[in-house]
Amino acid sequence: SWFPMGICQSCCDQDVNSRYVKQTGTELATVPQTTAPKQQTAVVTGTKAKERRENGWRATGIIGLRDQQIKELPQSALQVATATVLDASNNRLKALPDNLSDLAALQRLVLVNNLLVSLPASLCRITTLKLLNLDTNRLTELPEELGGLAALEKLSVNGNQLTRLPATLGRLPALKLLSASSNQLAALPAELPPALEELDVSFNAIAAIPPSLGSLQKLKILNLDTNKVCDVPAEVLEGCAALHTLSLHANPITPDTLQDNPAFQAFEARRQQKYNKV
């Protein structure tokens, strides 16, 4: 005999997801509802969400993967050949795939706050790249091939474990900003990009500034806070014609030492001119 579940509920502890109860002798047997499994529904929903996300990447050219707790870049992202922006910040990436260079139209690559210890040389084949932000990772070196990124304008590698910068940085014709604060740099390359306008190497262990920096005629800002600098070459104060901001806080160099430099007055005149503009 059959009777509604509501009647049975008062005398037995049956699954409330069962619609009816069939009585067979002295036993009660439940008959489950004929509804779609929740797991199957979740899979369908997840698949549709993934499709919408990937369609969005293709429509906008922006691959957004921030705060996903991912350990590797999904291959589906690397198949968006028209993408111009990839932001996978705040994840758990330890390495980048060799086929990252498949994103041949990429202009901005932002991988802040991950666990990267090295970069594949193939990354340097993305010659359209204009901005590369690798702040707060675990990088101990940068590939020499980095000098091949002819369109690169901004390179930021703050908060890593770099002990040196590749000499090939000097081959980057378009680089305007180089920020390598909070690393373990003991020296600067003798040659730096000719178009450089801002150089931030604060919070390192740099003891000497190479006189060759004086060739950077477009350099406007030089931040060397918290290093081991004892002197500034006259070639830098004299040759960097656009330099108006030189920051040397928390270094052994004293104000008297800097002011005694024969090129200091020329630098000071430029600085005053910059900050006295109305």
Side-chain angles (χ1 to χ4, degrees):
S1 61
W2 295 87
F3 52 88
M5 183 57 154
I7 298 174
C8 175
Q9 193 66 31
S10 62
C11 61
C12 65
D13 187 19
Q14 296 294 332
D15 186 352
V16 294
N17 290 325
S18 299
R19 177 71 175 175
Y20 295 102
V21 176
K22 184 178 181 180
Q23 187 175 12
T24 56
T26 59
E27 298 181 354
L28 296 175
T30 60
V31 180
Q33 288 183 340
T34 57
T35 57
K38 293 182 178 179
Q39 185 176 2
Q40 183 178 355
T41 302
V43 170
V44 172
T45 302
T47 300
K48 289 183 177 179
K50 182 180 178 182
E51 289 177 354
R52 284 196 300 269
R53 182 179 70 170
E54 293 175 3
N55 288 336
W57 292 346
R58 294 185 180 89
T60 64
I62 299 174
I63 302 174
L65 289 167
R66 293 175 64 94
D67 305 300
Q68 300 294 307
Q69 293 297 307
I70 55 176
K71 296 182 179 180
E72 59 183 23
L73 293 176
Q75 285 299 312
S76 57
L78 303 178
Q79 295 170 3
V80 186
T82 57
T84 57
V85 178
L86 169 57
D87 186 347
S89 299
N90 305 327
N91 283 295
R92 302 174 65 188
L93 302 176
K94 292 184 178 181
L96 299 176
D98 286 334
N99 64 334
L100 181 63
S101 58
D102 289 349
L103 300 177
L106 203 63
Q107 295 182 21
R108 298 169 63 90
L109 178 57
V110 184
L111 299 169
V112 175
N113 193 26
N114 277 282
L115 304 173
L116 299 173
V117 295
S118 63
L119 301 176
S122 59
L123 165 66
C124 304
R125 293 201 295 267
I126 309 177
T127 55
T128 54
L129 207 57
K130 293 183 178 181
L131 179 145
L132 179 57
N133 192 335
L134 299 163
D135 290 350
T136 321
N137 277 278
R138 299 179 181 180
L139 297 171
T140 56
E141 63 179 0
L142 298 176
E144 294 291 335
E145 292 84 355
L146 207 63
L149 295 176
L152 194 64
E153 297 177 358
K154 297 180 180 181
L155 173 61
S156 189
V157 288
N158 300 318
N160 281 279
Q161 300 170 22
L162 300 172
T163 56
R164 58 181 291 274
L165 296 174
T168 54
L169 287 182
R171 302 177 189 171
L172 297 172
L175 196 69
K176 296 179 180 180
L177 169 68
L178 173 56
S179 191
S181 176
S182 301
N183 279 280
Q184 300 169 22
L185 302 176
L188 291 173
E191 185 181 357
L192 284 171
L196 201 61
E197 296 180 2
E198 183 173 350
L199 175 59
D200 183 356
V201 285
S202 56
F203 295 92
N204 279 286
I206 298 169
I209 303 172
S212 56
L213 256 65
S215 65
L216 302 178
Q217 297 186 6
K218 295 182 179 181
L219 188 65
K220 300 176 181 179
I221 301 173
L222 176 56
N223 188 346
L224 284 154
D225 288 348
T226 315
N227 277 281
K228 299 180 179 180
V229 176
C230 296
D231 196 11
V232 178
E235 293 88 343
V236 173
L237 295 177
E238 206 166 54
C240 296
L243 186 64
H244 58 68
T245 301
L246 174 61
S247 192
L248 292 162
H249 297 294
N251 277 279
I253 190 172
T254 65
D256 289 342
T257 300
L258 184 61
Q259 291 171 12
D260 288 344
N261 191 304
F264 178 76
Q265 293 304 323
F267 161 72
E268 181 62 11
R270 289 195 304 272
R271 192 184 71 83
Q272 292 293 341
Q273 184 180 14
K274 165 70 178 178
Y275 290 107
N276 288 339
K277 286 183 179 180
V278 178

